[in-house]
Amino acid sequence: MNMPTDDDRKRLEDELREPLSGWLVKPVASADTAALIRKLQPAFDELRARGDEAPEQAGDVGSGLQHRPSLPRMMLAQLASYPKGYWVASAAVFVMLALILSSYSPPYDGLADLFTLFTPAVLLAGLLYSFRAWNKGMRTIESVTPYPPALLLLCRFLIVIGLNVLLGVSATVYLSVSMESFPFLPFLIRWFSLMLLTGGMMAFVMLHKGIKAGMTAALLVWLVWQGSGMALADGPPTDERLTIAGHTAALALGIALLTLAYRRSLGIRLLK
């Protein structure tokens, strides 16, 4: 078999140039994206105007109420943005944590502290992944949709928080079944209040000051919580009712911060 010469290669390139030219795709440039947004903007403006007029047609003229998107429906739509590996990795962390804690024997001193040491870290990692996977180009395109991109990101944050709450409750139920005289309610409210407070603080600060400030605020909440727990452990015994009241207040504050973050997200068109 003879080796192809330069003339053979050149002839082959000439023969294939025309058939292959139809398969070549020009890379998408920022100017193309901007042009697409300009073309789509009038259509989305029309949809938004129709949505604003709908309450007036229904007899709500002068009520001042604005149409609010369905948060559960938007969260379901955002579920597809998470790969299967994320769900598996999150579940694996809680399974390993539950198996490690199940080896403890009564009294369960420090058991809740160990759980609250790791669960916020898993939550913050998931929230950071939600932001990193939401690239700037996608945020630019979503800026012309009827829903603010900040609201879409908050939906992803709520998905992460909900997943961690579900896995945490499942781990708590497993521990209560597999361990004798397990303090179910004190254990549950301790990590649950910290998780909602951490997630709510990050979401609230993020929508006002940015993602870095949100991560810093959430980390400070976690450090203060751990530091205060260590200080109380070294001091005289604390009344259990006072401890539960403090955790309940933290839980209520976390829910309030998430609610304020949701209201804030409705007015932000593009999150930097």
Side-chain angles (χ1 to χ4, degrees):
M1 180 178 179
N2 296 328
M3 295 295 295
T5 63
D6 293 340
D7 292 337
D8 295 332
R9 295 191 186 94
K10 187 176 183 304
R11 185 165 47 253
L12 181 60
E13 290 176 359
D14 294 338
E15 293 176 356
L16 295 178
R17 181 175 291 109
E18 183 176 354
L20 292 179
S21 61
W23 294 89
L24 296 178
V25 179
K26 180 183 177 182
V28 179
S30 58
D32 299 329
T33 304
L36 177 61
I37 292 176
R38 286 195 298 270
K39 291 180 180 179
L40 294 176
Q41 188 67 62
F44 283 116
D45 288 341
E46 183 180 354
L47 290 175
R48 191 180 300 112
R50 292 179 182 177
D52 294 337
E53 294 173 358
E56 298 181 2
Q57 296 175 356
D60 292 335
V61 179
S63 63
L65 297 178
Q66 295 181 352
H67 175 67
R68 291 291 183 266
S70 174
L71 194 60
R73 185 176 300 175
M74 295 181 65
M75 291 175 63
L76 289 176
Q78 290 293 313
L79 285 175
S81 62
Y82 289 89
K84 293 181 180 178
Y86 172 78
W87 309 108
V88 174
S90 300
V93 171
F94 279 88
V95 168
M96 290 188 294
L97 188 57
L99 292 176
I100 292 174
L101 296 181
S102 63
S103 62
Y104 279 61
S105 56
Y108 302 117
D109 296 336
L111 194 66
D113 294 334
L114 185 61
F115 201 79
T116 56
L117 183 65
F118 286 99
T119 49
V122 178
L123 175 64
L124 292 178
L127 297 179
L128 182 60
Y129 171 82
S130 296
F131 181 80
R132 293 303 181 187
W134 193 51
N135 59 67
K136 186 177 181 180
M138 197 62 194
R139 296 201 302 270
T140 303
I141 294 177
E142 289 176 347
S143 66
V144 300
T145 63
Y147 304 126
L151 178 59
L152 299 179
L153 179 61
L154 181 63
C155 289
R156 301 184 70 175
F157 275 27
L158 293 177
I159 290 173
V160 174
I161 295 174
L163 173 64
N164 282 268
V165 168
L166 177 62
L167 294 175
V169 171
S170 301
T172 304
V173 172
Y174 170 78
L175 293 175
S176 66
V177 172
S178 60
M179 303 173 71
E180 183 181 357
S181 302
F182 181 78
F184 181 84
L185 184 58
F187 182 87
L188 176 65
I189 195 174
R190 181 157 187 170
W191 69 259
F192 187 50
S193 57
L194 176 59
M195 180 173 293
L196 278 189
L197 180 60
T198 304
M201 182 62 70
M202 180 175 178
F204 178 79
V205 176
M206 177 201 68
L207 293 176
H208 284 80
K209 300 296 183 179
I211 184 66
K212 292 182 179 179
M215 289 290 294
T216 302
L219 183 60
L220 288 176
V221 168
W222 179 76
L223 290 175
V224 170
W225 185 284
Q226 298 298 331
S228 60
M230 294 174 61
L232 292 175
D234 295 336
T238 307
D239 188 356
E240 186 67 21
R241 291 177 298 180
L242 183 61
T243 302
I244 293 179
H247 292 160
T248 304
L251 180 64
L253 179 58
I255 295 175
L257 289 172
L258 287 174
T259 303
L260 292 175
Y262 167 68
R263 293 180 177 178
R264 170 70 175 173
S265 67
L266 295 174
I268 300 180
R269 290 307 310 167
L270 184 59
L271 188 64
K272 299 298 183 181

